[in-house]
Amino acid sequence: MADGVLRICSLYPDVMNIYADRGNLLVLERRAAWRDIEVQVTPAGFGDRIDPDAHDLFYLGGGQDRDQALCARDLVDTKRDALAAAAGRGALVLGICGGFQLLGHVYELGDEEIPGLGLVDLRTVRSDDDRLIGNVAIEVDLDGEGPRTLAGFENHGGRTHLGAGEQPLGRVLRGHGNDGRSGREGVRRDGVIGTYLHGPLLPKNTWFADWLIARATGLALSPLDDRMEAAAHASARRAAGV
Ligand code: GLN
């Protein structure tokens, strides 16, 4: 008998999966299963309706501009209301890079406007300047329990601007962050979290995977033998220079 259940909805897993972002789901699955938590992963693709109450964590990975454009209309037409309802009841919604951009109002690509979910107040503008690429480290304080580090890799042409009332996920220690200037990285409003960090993110930062699992299930997680994971985290930090 499992100690609990982690119910994940994976949005467009075949399309929004740049830099092997699906690895984030594998880490969540494994680290939950190792604690005897049953994991249910439900894919949701084009045209699929989603039930806001049927999942604890909604996941949207990164994608190229054209993949985002493909998904955006469907997201808005068939999934926005459910995701807004899920976010409203405190469920986790995690967006990575292209997925992060789609959490906001719009992604402006020249004359084209790719609509977003509007779950958080942000907009992204595609720049003709150099892409923001490289190893990145940010400092986050998720529950006011003190700063921790997330390390990863970013590669984006879009510059993301947070609205006045919105908070970033973290402060840039190394790398470019949302716009290369503000020192802000990602967004966090309650359970809605966006970040530019690939890597994938969670294999390099398993402490954050555990934070997500604990928050999604309400369970206190037993420790694991994390020697390999700690080495992966240290290596990602070193690559970013922290
Ligand atoms: N297409 C987006 C950009 O370049 C996001 C890219 C990504 O997900 N890596 O800004």
Side-chain angles (χ1 to χ4, degrees), residues 5 51 57 59 79 106 114 119 127 136 141 166 228 235 239:
V5 185
D51 177 349
L57 190 160
Y59 176 71
K79 298 174 180 59
V106 68
I114 297 179
L119 298 183
S127 168
V136 51
D141 188 355
E166 219 60 82
M228 203 182 293
S235 163

Side-chain angles (χ1 to χ4, degrees), residues 6 8-11 13 16-35 39-41 57-63 92-100 150-153 169 193-213:
L6 173 62
I8 300 172
C9 177
S10 172
L11 296 156
M16 297 296 278
N17 181 34
I18 204 169
Y19 292 113
D21 278 340
R22 177 170 156 66
N24 291 324
L25 292 183
L26 294 177
V27 167
L28 291 170
E29 287 177 56
R30 288 295 160 83
R31 293 185 73 80
W34 285 333
R35 272 74 169 239
V39 183
Q40 299 167 358
V41 181
L57 190 160
F58 297 81
Y59 176 71
L60 184 57
L92 287 164
V93 182
L94 176 62
I96 306 290
C97 198
F100 161 38
L150 289 173
F153 180 79
L169 173 62
I193 296 173
T195 177
Y196 274 115
L197 271 62
H198 294 285
L201 170 71
L202 298 182
K204 291 183 173 180
N205 302 281
T206 50
W207 71 265
F208 185 48
D210 284 355
W211 183 87
L212 292 167
I213 295 168

Side-chain angles (χ1 to χ4, degrees), residues 84-205:
R89 69 172 176 80
L92 287 164
V93 182
L94 176 62
I96 306 290
C97 198
F100 161 38
Q101 295 170 345
L102 291 179
L103 299 179
H105 298 300
V106 68
Y107 178 26
E108 294 175 20
L109 265 172
D111 292 339
E112 198 184 349
E113 293 217 331
I114 297 179
L117 289 162
L119 298 183
V120 279
D121 180 18
L122 63 85
R123 55 197 301 118
T124 301
V125 182
R126 185 70 145 89
S127 168
D128 291 332
D129 295 341
D130 290 346
R131 294 180 69 80
L132 303 179
I133 303 176
N135 293 296
V136 51
I138 66 172
E139 185 178 82
V140 302
D141 188 355
L142 295 172
D143 297 311
E145 288 174 358
R148 305 226 30 194
T149 302
L150 289 173
F153 180 79
E154 62 183 325
N155 181 354
H156 49 107
R159 273 52 167 177
T160 296
H161 307 284
L162 305 186
E166 219 60 82
Q167 292 302 316
L169 173 62
R171 179 174 76 84
V172 175
L173 299 173
R174 292 291 162 87
H176 302 287
N178 285 351
D179 56 8
R181 285 208 287 248
S182 63
R184 307 172 117 204
E185 206 294 319
V187 69
R188 160 108 194 263
R189 191 200 291 178
D190 193 14
V192 180
I193 296 173
T195 177
Y196 274 115
L197 271 62
H198 294 285
L201 170 71
L202 298 182
K204 291 183 173 180
N205 302 281

